[in-house]
Amino acid sequence: MRQIQNDVNCPLLNQCMESRNHQKIINRHLWQDHLDEVDHLRHTDENRQIYAKRKETIERVFADLKHKHGRRWTTLRGKKKLSMQAMLVFAAMNLKNWRIGLGKDQYASLFDGKIE
């Protein structure tokens, strides 16, 4: 918490300060200086390019998770059940990505050339 002392001779002091001792207390988060710096860095050209890549890669995974695998909501209750269901969905997504990474010949060789 920081306190800012004001000039007592200011003609507009009564309009700005409603407290008796003419002090204004500004509450700031303990790490507010760091948060301000991060916010400033976010707007640099280099970081804008990084965020643009993030939108294409990381955010795409979550979009697929919600859209293709129905993860917008759940009917399950409990952390254990939700964890199990999430791990199964992630395993399915990883298998799909693994399959996409394999060529058709490599994939066929896994099943002795029999692809149904």
Side-chain angles (χ1 to χ4, degrees):
M1 186 179 338
R2 296 182 188 176
Q3 290 187 358
I4 300 173
Q5 295 289 336
N6 294 304
D7 185 14
V8 180
N9 299 326
C10 177
L12 303 175
L13 186 64
N14 291 331
Q15 293 176 1
C16 295
M17 302 290 175
E18 296 177 2
S19 66
R20 290 182 195 160
N21 57 359
H22 300 295
Q23 288 184 344
K24 189 170 199 169
I25 298 174
I26 299 173
N27 295 322
R28 287 176 49 97
H29 190 274
L30 178 65
W31 297 339
Q32 190 63 45
D33 293 334
H34 300 292
L35 293 172
D36 292 342
E37 179 66 20
V38 167
D39 192 46
H40 167 71
L41 291 175
R42 187 170 56 97
H43 297 293
T44 62
D45 290 335
E46 182 182 358
N47 286 330
R48 284 182 188 207
Q49 292 172 355
I50 292 170
Y51 272 96
K53 282 186 180 179
R54 177 178 183 229
K55 178 175 65 176
E56 296 169 1
T57 55
I58 303 300
E59 298 296 332
R60 184 77 243 156
V61 173
F62 290 107
D64 287 346
L65 185 68
K66 287 170 64 178
H67 183 70
K68 295 179 181 175
H69 296 280
R71 302 300 343 131
R72 290 183 187 273
W73 59 83
T74 184
T75 57
L76 299 177
R77 289 182 180 245
K79 187 175 179 181
K80 188 174 180 179
K81 289 180 185 177
L82 288 173
S83 284
M84 255 190 334
Q85 187 178 31
M87 291 303 137
L88 286 172
V89 171
F90 289 137
M93 290 176 70
N94 286 335
L95 285 173
K96 281 189 345 186
N97 289 336
W98 174 73
R99 167 57 186 100
I100 290 169
L102 289 178
K104 191 172 185 176
D105 295 334
Q106 290 174 319
Y107 185 70
S109 68
L110 292 174
F111 300 100
D112 298 326
K114 300 175 185 173
I115 301 175
E116 297 179 10

